[in-house]
Amino acid sequence: MYKIRKAKELAANIYLMDVEAPRVAKHCLPGQFVIVKVDETSERIPLTICDYDSENGIVTIVFQPVGASTLKMKNLKAGDAFEDFVGPLGQPSDLTKEDPKELKKKNIVFVGGGVGTAPVYPQIKWLHEHGITADCIIGARTKDLIILEEEMKAVSHLYLTTDDGSYVRKGMGTDVLRDLVVNQGKKYDLCIAIGPMIMMKFVCLLTKELGIPTVVSMNPIMVDGTGMCGACRLMVGDEVKFACVDGPEFDGHQVDFDLAMKRQQMYKTEEGRAKLFFEEGQTHHGGCGQC
Amino acid sequence: MADVFKKVPVKEQDPKVRATNFEEVCLGYKKEEAMEEAARCIGCKLDKAQCVTGCPVSINIPGFIREVKEGNFEKAYQIISESSALPAVCGRVCPQETQCEGKCIRGLKGEAISIGKLERFVADWAKENGVKPAPAKEKNGHKVAVIGSGPAGLTCAGDLARLGYDVTIFEALHKAGGVLVYGIPEFRLPKDKVVAAEVENVKSLGVKIETNVVIGKSTTVDALLKEEGFEAVFIGSGAGLPMFMGIPGEQANGVFSANEYLTRNNLMKAYRDDYDTPISRGKKVVVVGGGNVAMDAARTALRLGAEVHIVYRRSEAELLARKEEVHHAKEEGVIFDLLTNPVEILADENSWVKGIRCIRMELGEPDASGRRRPVEVPGSEFEIEADTVIMSLGTSPNPLISSTTYGLDINRRKCIVADEEFGQTSKEGVFAGGDAVTGAATVILAMGAGKAGARGIDRFIQGSKS
């Protein structure tokens, strides 16, 4: 069992948990993910690591409940435990493999969206620990959905934006990036975009136009997370890649986002039914055509 | 008086009924039936018994059958346990027709003894009567790590524990059993009644199992040897990576690897309403491939309510699956489209599978595998309507361990190089066996390799001690 040290709601329907997982904490690096399972009947849920404390054996995860299993997760409190917590999975971010001296010469910009802000954090924190302060654009639908603002501010040059203009400025992350490059004359050597697939797609369209190499972190449907099932396969350029072992980070200009988004929809109805069953019990049987 | 030339028939669930449930197909022998079947055995002397030479783990088959005949089932169980840690599994999934039963002298004239069914009976009887394998001898204090809790790993760990070693198995998934849990379906190998019980038996020998540890990620082989105090490591990590055909349309929604489909259904229990993991319940499912895994996927889809077609490029004679599986699949209503090969998967405007375009094949000259090579019949393309396609084309070893272990050689097929007799790899103190070495094969061959690894590790540790 993997004990939860801390559990809190960061924003409306976004939760943070510190979990005791010494093997994961000891070996993980920014960019990697874990798979968690609440109990016997739950799904295996892949979540990008938000923070980790190798000395104390703690891994921090952030999630937004969308299906039956993540709804169960949000009800867990400090002192409760996950039945399963496995990782670190996937490849660490390329940043961690580069010579810090070379890295220091680069201007790096991050674009994070929604709950995708969480996996941006370990990367900018890691860079900051290596003497690099990156620019970081975080977008959310509305003010209440901004998370980790203080933490991010401490380790990056933070630019916030909200779709509805309820906080700092109105617009998408892409609007801010365009503004920084086109109007403020910023030059970036690398962009790292993490968030919903649709956001990453539009960031990539923009950075292609602006000529900025871009890395994205893909979050497709997964089962085992070790390369065994192939559920997470993507087209990157003309090659089939498995996000769990080849990624999750890829060259954003090579990823076929339209295909990835279609694959993301695969279990929408089944997941929806499981969620309804969890919330309302045996009232939806599927197949009636009404739900 | 029963006909000594014929097997005592074993009861099975009615095909029509079982095609709609996940209960076990074969119901197994009752006590009297087992004793009657055992009485058919000629009782060859152990050094002459052909059945034993056909068994990859060399079970004393005439010995245990003699005990069954006399009704000494506990004695029979201890005889099997000397050689096999997983008799309830092997009795169900071994390809006996090409191994022990294929060599049976009785089979020269009439039908071979039902060795598999007898083994299963003995193992099930032991479980029902609380009989456990003979306990470990005195502990010798040497620590050994085993990677993977599938057939190779469990066998290696069981053998070493009985020699007195302190064994820890590291399993990547959340449940122990490897392919026995994620791959082979409930109706062929019940998970709680059989697999979990066999895993408990191995644990009762003193073996520890740590789940959720991905070697190569959570820690490494080198760290196990240098930092965690293990004197030797056995790698039995299986062949986990699924192959696809590389034909157009393969990325469409509704195309799955057999691994994914079976893992969702077996490990994650997606067929049950009380589990959260979803599975695509197609109406018309095409399974591509002709091995045991293809049969498992097809019969699973059938039980989830689909009309199921198996598409295979060779003819029935070349099907790699056990005969019993093909027979059961046909009985249950799986449709076989043989000498047929997919060329393209067709998708609708939402990128969901709507059909599969195939071409007819005919058999030409024998190829490298000794089987006649299938050749396309020009102009014979046609379409099969389908909403789900399951690719069951085989698997290859996962590079997670080989790429993170210093000095571990692999071959061209990414399999770990290890010798057959002792499982010795290119790295000192590291042994390997099972699908990680051979590529996808059978449960019993992996168990044989697990035994070889245990012998190699014992020899290595005892040798380095003196």
Side-chain angles (χ1 to χ4, degrees), chain B residues 398-420:
Chain B
N398 197 320
L400 270 179
I401 293 176
S402 53
S403 64
T404 55
T405 306
Y406 182 76
L408 187 68
D409 289 352
I410 53 172
N411 65 20
R412 196 160 50 76
R413 289 156 51 227
K414 302 212 169 91
C415 299
I416 297 169
V417 178
D419 85 320
E420 265 182 49

Side-chain angles (χ1 to χ4, degrees), chain A residues 18-29:
Chain A
D18 284 351
V19 185
E20 287 177 14
R23 280 197 192 274
V24 183
K26 191 175 168 195
H27 291 95
C28 71
L29 282 168

Side-chain angles (χ1 to χ4, degrees), chain A residues 27 40 69 87 226 228-229, chain B residues 174 218 228 257 259 275-276 398:
Chain A
H27 291 95
E40 167 66 22
S69 292
T226 64
M228 204 179 83
C229 80
Chain B
H174 58 268
S218 314
E228 299 203 23
S257 71
N259 263 10
Y275 280 73
D276 294 346
N398 197 320

Side-chain angles (χ1 to χ4, degrees), chain B residues 4 56 80 124 150 181 261 307 325 387 420 429:
Chain B
V4 294
I80 297 174
D124 288 358
V181 166
Y261 196 75
E307 174 189 315
E325 309 308 328
D387 55 15
E420 265 182 49

Side-chain angles (χ1 to χ4, degrees), chain B residues 85-372:
Chain B
L86 311 169
V89 171
C90 294
R92 288 170 164 86
V93 304
C94 269
Q96 289 97 1
E97 73 259 21
T98 60
Q99 297 180 352
C100 52
E101 294 180 23
K103 301 245 175 149
C104 177
I105 302 295
R106 237 316 161 223
L108 293 178
K109 213 166 131 192
E111 291 178 352
I113 306 295
S114 274
I115 300 168
K117 300 285 186 286
L118 289 174
E119 182 185 25
R120 169 189 160 149
F121 166 78
V122 170
D124 288 358
W125 180 92
K127 189 195 162 251
E128 277 159 32
N129 290 278
V131 175
K132 298 260 169 199
K137 294 195 303 185
E138 221 169 275
K139 290 260 174 199
N140 66 18
H142 293 287
K143 273 179 79 180
V144 177
V146 169
I147 302 170
S149 63
L154 286 173
T155 300
C156 183
D159 276 17
L160 287 169
R162 278 191 289 131
L163 291 170
Y165 288 90
D166 177 2
V167 187
T168 304
I169 300 181
F170 295 96
E171 167 56 47
L173 291 171
H174 58 268
K175 208 164 254 171
V179 73
L180 308 176
V181 166
Y182 75 75
I184 304 177
E186 181 76 18
F187 55 84
R188 207 146 80 74
L189 189 63
K191 301 301 156 232
D192 290 341
K193 195 180 106 192
V194 177
V195 181
E198 300 265 52
V199 170
E200 280 310 310
N201 280 347
V202 172
K203 279 161 92 174
S204 76
L205 298 170
V207 173
K208 288 166 274 197
I209 302 182
E210 195 180 330
T211 52
N212 298 318
V213 182
V214 182
I215 303 298
K217 291 288 177 188
S218 314
T219 186
T220 59
V221 170
D222 291 298
L224 291 176
L225 289 168
K226 285 186 194 133
E227 294 163 23
E228 299 203 23
F230 292 101
E231 291 166 64
V233 176
F234 176 81
I235 303 170
S237 51
L241 301 190
M243 296 179 194
F244 288 93
M245 292 188 81
I247 56 174
E250 226 169 5
Q251 312 312 323
N253 285 359
V255 182
F256 306 95
S257 71
N259 263 10
E260 177 183 356
Y261 196 75
L262 290 171
T263 300
R264 283 179 180 277
N265 196 71
N266 304 338
L267 175 72
M268 306 310 296
K269 302 207 190 310
Y271 68 95
R272 282 172 53 167
D273 286 343
D274 51 342
Y275 280 73
D276 294 346
T277 300
I279 193 163
S280 165
R281 287 179 186 251
K283 289 194 173 61
K284 203 163 170 190
V285 176
V286 168
V287 178
V288 182
N292 286 317
V293 177
M295 301 304 139
D296 286 345
R299 295 169 71 198
T300 297
L302 195 85
R303 283 161 171 76
L304 292 172
E307 174 189 315
V308 185
H309 292 246
I310 284 197
V311 165
Y312 180 58
R313 64 196 179 119
R314 302 179 194 251
S315 75
E316 180 156 351
E318 287 83 19
L319 283 169
L320 287 169
R322 292 169 81 213
K323 279 207 181 72
E324 185 174 308
E325 309 308 328
V326 178
H327 170 70
H328 280 159
K330 282 187 181 166
E331 269 189 345
E332 290 164 11
V334 172
I335 301 156
F336 283 73
D337 294 319
L338 301 167
L339 289 167
T340 301
N341 204 28
V343 290
E344 184 184 0
I345 293 165
L346 311 164
D348 66 15
E349 62 282 6
N350 296 317
S351 191
W352 263 97
V353 172
K354 64 173 185 184
I356 178 165
R357 195 194 314 279
C358 298
I359 188 162
R360 303 267 185 221
M361 310 291 279
E362 57 190 11
L363 293 178
E365 295 299 306
D367 62 12
S369 74
R371 299 178 297 174
R372 292 174 67 194

Side-chain angles (χ1 to χ4, degrees), chain A residues 134-234:
Chain A
D135 285 357
C136 183
I137 302 164
I138 296 297
R141 214 169 60 235
T142 184
K143 185 187 174 189
D144 293 344
L145 294 174
I146 300 264
I147 56 169
L148 304 170
E149 183 181 350
E150 290 310 313
E151 288 87 344
M152 311 272 290
K153 234 180 215 161
V155 293
S156 71
H157 301 298
L158 187 63
Y159 301 87
L160 290 175
T161 183
T162 45
D163 295 5
D164 64 358
S166 55
Y167 195 50
V168 187
R169 63 177 282 169
K170 185 179 161 78
M172 308 273 193
T174 41
D175 299 329
V176 179
L177 181 59
R178 184 183 290 279
D179 183 44
L180 287 173
V181 174
V182 177
N183 303 327
Q184 302 190 34
K186 291 253 188 184
K187 289 209 161 36
Y188 293 114
D189 305 297
L190 176 65
C191 171
I192 297 167
I194 309 179
M197 284 198 195
I198 186 78
M199 180 211 97
M200 294 191 284
K201 175 184 168 174
F202 280 101
V203 171
C204 287
L205 287 173
L206 174 64
T207 55
K208 209 166 192 178
E209 177 193 322
L210 300 173
I212 308 169
T214 300
V215 169
V216 293
S217 178
M218 300 300 284
N219 49 350
I221 292 169
M222 285 186 191
V223 185
D224 64 288
T226 64
M228 204 179 83
C229 80
C232 66
R233 60 193 194 273
L234 305 161

